[in-house]
Amino acid sequence: MIPFTAPSRPAPRGARALLATAFVALTLVTATSPPADGRPRALASGTPTTAVRPVETMRTGPVDHLYGSPVRKIPTEEKLVALTFNAAWNESGLDAVLKVLRQQKAPATFFLTGQFAERHPDAARSIAAAGHGIGNHSHSHPRFEVLTPAERAQEVHDADTAIRAATATQPLPFFRFPYGSAPAAHVTQVNRLGYADIEYTADTNGYKGTAGGMTVQKTVTRALDALVPGEIIQMHVGSLDGHDPVLDAQALPQIIDALHTRGYQITDLRTLLQRENAWGTEAGTRPSGLGERS
């Protein structure tokens, strides 16, 4: 084999410029190309890398058909309702909620903050063990409008890491913004991170407790006043102060009974992962994951 010998003279200035340009172009292509595992570079490693998060490329996956705007209602004309619970403060009403869901054979989706998963890992595991879907509700429940893009991405990443560690399961690619604030730019960013933004049709406001002027009946009424096919109901598994009664837990049996009385069934929000005929409206088939009365 003839050994390679470096040229004795430097390349002409024009050639050096062309080589430099080609090197920069190759570097840019390599830096912006998605990794082989399909995950954004910001999330591909277990070590946070906030420096690259503001430039994530749009990620395709099981929920990219839901990108572009918040999902506030299931796209169906059937009498279906989805139950969702946020878990950010404490777990004082969780056991009661899980018991009712188990008795009614009703699915639900729980949106956990990372800090909730860290502080209450047993509670997080009990949700996963019961077979319910788990979504991302940020790490520390901040107001996203006061954060930088890198800080917002860090909130999403840290919550994902904490939920995985606590539950030993893979969370759904669903994100719910703290305080229900979901401006377009923020929705686009979580879409780039691989999440659909799942909000709600109605919030029961049960989390405010009796100290906030709520009662069990008011909580039930708020859920039913917004009743339409595809309603997504938002509730909470705890109270703001950790001492007030968890009205959503107390109201849940009445809400479910009232839904069934009005001819509604409880559907699994995970059906949103299906791209076509997700709700059986064209094919004439009933969606999977429906909660039937026991």
Side-chain angles (χ1 to χ4, degrees):
M1 179 180 295
I2 300 174
F4 174 76
T5 303
S8 58
R9 296 171 54 192
R13 181 174 300 177
R16 290 201 301 271
L18 287 174
L19 287 171
T21 301
F23 177 77
V24 171
L26 179 60
T27 302
L28 288 173
V29 168
T30 303
T32 56
S33 298
D37 63 3
R39 302 180 71 188
R41 292 187 180 275
L43 299 180
S45 171
T47 302
T49 52
T50 56
V52 301
R53 286 217 175 84
V55 293
E56 304 99 344
T57 56
M58 190 66 75
R59 177 184 175 187
T60 58
V63 289
D64 56 353
H65 59 293
L66 302 174
Y67 290 171
S69 61
V71 176
R72 300 189 183 278
K73 178 180 172 293
I74 299 167
T76 182
E77 297 304 317
E78 296 192 52
K79 287 189 170 183
L80 301 174
V81 170
L83 302 176
T84 68
F85 295 85
N86 295 351
W89 309 301
N90 52 75
E91 84 290 19
S92 51
L94 179 61
D95 288 345
V97 167
L98 291 178
K99 180 179 179 180
V100 172
L101 294 175
R102 182 173 63 253
Q103 291 173 338
Q104 295 285 352
K105 297 182 173 63
T109 304
F110 291 77
F111 289 86
L112 276 57
T113 66
Q115 289 183 347
F116 179 92
E118 291 171 346
R119 294 169 181 167
H120 309 288
D122 290 342
R125 279 191 292 273
S126 69
I127 295 170
H132 298 294
I134 298 178
N136 188 319
H137 194 36
S138 80
H139 186 67
S140 63
H141 205 274
R143 293 194 177 276
F144 268 41
E145 59 268 24
V146 303
L147 303 181
T148 66
E151 289 169 338
R152 291 194 293 269
Q154 192 71 49
E155 282 284 326
V156 177
H157 174 269
D158 288 352
D160 179 83
T161 300
I163 292 168
R164 289 173 186 266
T167 65
T169 60
Q170 179 176 343
L172 294 168
F174 293 164
F175 183 81
R176 174 171 285 172
F177 283 96
Y179 304 103
S181 176
H186 297 179
V187 173
T188 297
Q189 185 178 15
V190 299
N191 291 165
R192 291 180 187 277
L193 291 168
Y195 293 82
D197 174 29
I198 309 297
E199 298 300 329
Y200 51 89
T201 315
D203 187 337
T204 63
N205 278 355
Y207 72 93
K208 293 183 177 181
T210 54
M214 291 298 295
T215 64
V216 170
Q217 190 53 51
K218 286 181 179 179
T219 300
V220 174
T221 299
R222 283 184 62 86
L224 299 179
D225 280 353
L227 186 58
V228 292
E231 180 188 17
I232 300 174
I233 301 175
Q234 174 173 274
M235 293 172 278
H236 292 75
V237 301
S239 58
L240 282 172
D241 59 8
H243 303 293
D244 221 26
V246 182
L247 298 183
D248 283 324
Q250 296 179 2
L252 184 59
Q254 294 185 44
I255 291 173
I256 292 177
D257 285 345
L259 292 174
H260 288 146
T261 298
R262 300 185 185 195
Y264 279 77
Q265 291 183 316
I266 299 168
T267 189
D268 195 327
L269 201 56
R270 283 173 286 197
T271 313
L272 285 172
L273 297 173
Q274 301 176 19
R275 290 174 177 270
E276 297 178 1
N277 297 330
W279 305 100
T281 53
E282 295 181 15
T285 59
R286 185 162 297 281
S288 61
L290 294 175
E292 302 292 346
R293 297 189 72 177
S294 56

